[in-house]
Amino acid sequence: MRRPALPLLCMAAALAAVALPGSAVGPASVAKADRRLWTETLNSRNGFDKASRASILTYASALQEMHKMADADMMAAFKIKSLNRASVDKWLKSEMALSLVNYQRAARDCAGGDWTCVAPADSVDALLRQADSWQKSVPAGQQAWHANLSAFTRAYLAEQLRLAALFPRISSEIDRFGPHEWNGDTLEDRQFLLTFDDGPSPGANTDDTLAMLANTKKTGVFFVLGENLQNRVNKAGAAKVAASYKNQCMASHGWQHQSHAKWEQWQDSITRTHGLLNATFAKGEVLPYFRPPYGQRPADSAAFFQQQGLQVALWNLDSQDWSSQVSADDVSNRMIALMLIKRHGVLLFHDVHSKAKSALPVIFSELGNAVSWRDCQQPLAK
C-alpha cells in the first residue's frame, strides 16, 4: 500500500533543500537553529534536561511526520532514482527508540506543572502520541523557539534521511556494517567526545584549535590525513609536530581525502597512514581507529580491519563546519540543538577550518557542567 503523502509543505521544502546528485556527500542546505530563542539557561543538569525534554518532543513529532512520507515523494525531493526503504525505516525506527530512551532519561526529575513533562512514555507509540498532543502546550514565551526548532528538526531529518535512502549503495555514518564500527550511540547519558578531521592544516587553524583545547582543558581525537601529516613533519620535524598535539589523541583519516569505498589503494592508504602516525607519535597517543572520508568504506571490509586491529570510527553529531553556508555561530547553535536531542555522542568538527576554535568555547560555556566531555584516551564500547 502506498504511504500517504506528507501534508506539511514545510517538510517537503526541507527535503527539496537537501537534494543533491547521487554521489554527493553533503546537504545542499544545512539545518540551522537559534539557541537564543530558548528563554532559560542550559548550564545546569535541570536546565539542560528541561530543554532536552522539549527538544526531544519536537524531534519525535518530526520523526513521526517523516515516517508517513511516500517513497515517490522522497525520491522526487532527493532527486534520486531509487530509495532503500528498508534503510530509511530502520533509521527512523532506531531514532524513535533512542528518542524514547533519551526522553525517559531527561524526565527522571520531572516536577508537576512543568510543561515539558508529559504523561509517562513507556513505549515509542506512547511517546509519539504525547509528542503530537504536546505541541499545544508550548507556552507563549517559547513559541518562537518551538517554531524555530520544528523547522530545524525537519531540515536535519532531511539531511539524515537522504543518507539512509542511499545506504548502502553510498555508505555513510548513517549505519554500521558490523561490530568493528562505532558511532557514539553507546556513550553514557550527557557524555560527549570531541573529534576533528582532515588536519593538520597548512596554516594556523589546527594550531589554534589545539591551543583552544589546551586553554579549556579538553581533549579530542584528531583524525589526520597522512598526506597533510607528512607535509607538516617534513616542514617542522616529527618531534615538534608530536609536541604540538600534547595531551590529544591521534587516529587515521587515510592518506588522502577521497572515498575509500571503491578506491583501489584504500588498504594501502590506511596502513601507510598508521605507519606514519606510529613513527611520529609516542605509543599510547595513537588510537586504533580509522575514520573513512565522507564515512564511505567498503561494506565487506570487516576482515581487513580486524586483521589490522582497527575499528571504524564514525560519528552521530555532525557540525557541518566545513560548509560555507554556516558561520561559527551557526555551528554553536546547531550542535547545542543536537546535543539536547541526542543527549550523548561523538561530535564531528574539522580543525582545517576556523569555525571549531570559535564555536566550541561557546558550547562549553553555554552548557557548563550540564554535560561531561569524555577524555579521548577512554576506550569506546562498540
Side-chain angles (χ1 to χ4, degrees), residues 74-315:
M74 278 195 184
M75 287 190 288
F78 291 146
K79 294 181 171 60
I80 55 178
K81 296 180 179 179
S82 62
L83 176 145
N84 186 343
R85 187 75 211 194
S87 174
V88 167
D89 287 343
K90 178 183 177 183
W91 189 83
L92 284 168
K93 182 178 179 180
S94 175
E95 283 299 290
M96 289 176 183
L98 285 171
S99 295
L100 173 62
V101 171
N102 287 335
Y103 186 82
Q104 290 171 338
R105 288 170 171 169
R108 286 170 181 164
D109 297 322
C110 262
D114 188 325
W115 63 278
T116 67
C117 296
V118 299
D122 54 6
S123 68
V124 168
D125 287 343
L127 176 67
L128 295 178
R129 288 195 302 270
Q130 294 288 352
D132 186 51
S133 60
W134 170 83
Q135 313 298 320
K136 303 173 185 176
S137 305
V138 178
Q142 297 287 11
Q143 288 287 347
W145 164 85
H146 183 249
N148 178 263
L149 193 71
S150 294
F152 170 81
T153 55
R154 292 184 178 105
Y156 173 73
L157 285 173
E159 293 175 16
Q160 301 302 102
L161 262 291
R162 185 176 183 279
L163 296 177
L166 294 171
F167 191 87
R169 181 171 60 85
I170 299 177
S171 55
S172 65
E173 77 279 9
I174 203 69
D175 201 358
R176 300 185 302 154
F177 284 126
H180 64 292
E181 302 186 344
W182 53 259
N183 63 2
D185 282 344
T186 59
L187 267 65
E188 297 174 7
D189 186 38
R190 295 181 295 112
Q191 184 182 74
F192 300 91
L193 173 69
L194 297 171
T195 67
F196 302 89
D197 286 8
D198 296 358
S201 64
N205 284 331
T206 293
D207 300 292
D208 290 346
T209 301
L210 289 165
M212 176 273 295
L213 292 175
N215 290 336
T216 55
K217 295 180 172 58
K218 301 293 190 299
T219 65
V221 183
F222 284 78
F223 291 92
V224 300
L225 290 170
E227 191 172 53
N228 288 353
L229 178 60
Q230 186 67 72
N231 289 339
R232 183 165 282 213
V233 167
N234 291 344
K235 181 178 180 180
K240 187 173 181 180
V241 171
S244 70
Y245 284 93
K246 182 180 179 181
N247 298 324
Q248 304 301 324
C249 298
M250 312 306 298
S252 169
H253 201 34
W255 195 260
Q256 295 178 349
H257 201 283
Q258 61 175 292
S259 171
H260 281 53
K262 296 181 179 179
W263 187 21
E264 290 185 359
Q265 289 81 37
W266 71 270
Q267 293 184 357
D268 178 68
S269 166
I270 295 168
T271 57
R272 186 181 179 191
T273 303
H274 267 279
L276 177 59
L277 283 166
N278 289 322
T280 306
F281 299 93
K283 183 178 181 181
E285 295 176 342
V286 180
L287 303 182
Y289 301 155
F290 165 68
R291 171 167 287 171
Y294 313 113
Q296 295 177 1
R297 68 281 185 200
D300 59 353
S301 55
F304 168 80
F305 288 112
Q306 290 166 356
Q307 182 186 42
Q308 297 295 318
L310 298 174
Q311 297 172 24
V312 174
L314 302 173
W315 61 92

Side-chain angles (χ1 to χ4, degrees), residues 319-372:
S319 71
Q320 299 286 345
D321 62 342
W322 59 270
S323 174
S324 61
Q325 298 178 39
V326 299
S327 65
D329 190 54
D330 291 330
V331 171
S332 301
N333 286 334
R334 175 183 171 94
M335 295 310 274
I336 289 173
L338 290 178
M339 291 169 74
L340 289 166
I341 291 169
K342 299 299 185 78
R343 290 186 66 87
H344 61 278
V346 173
L347 282 65
L348 169 62
F349 293 95
H350 297 81
D351 57 299
V352 294
H353 299 296
S354 62
K355 295 164 193 171
K357 65 184 179 185
S358 300
L360 277 168
V362 174
I363 295 172
F364 298 151
S365 176
E366 293 273 334
L367 298 183
N369 294 323
V371 303
S372 64

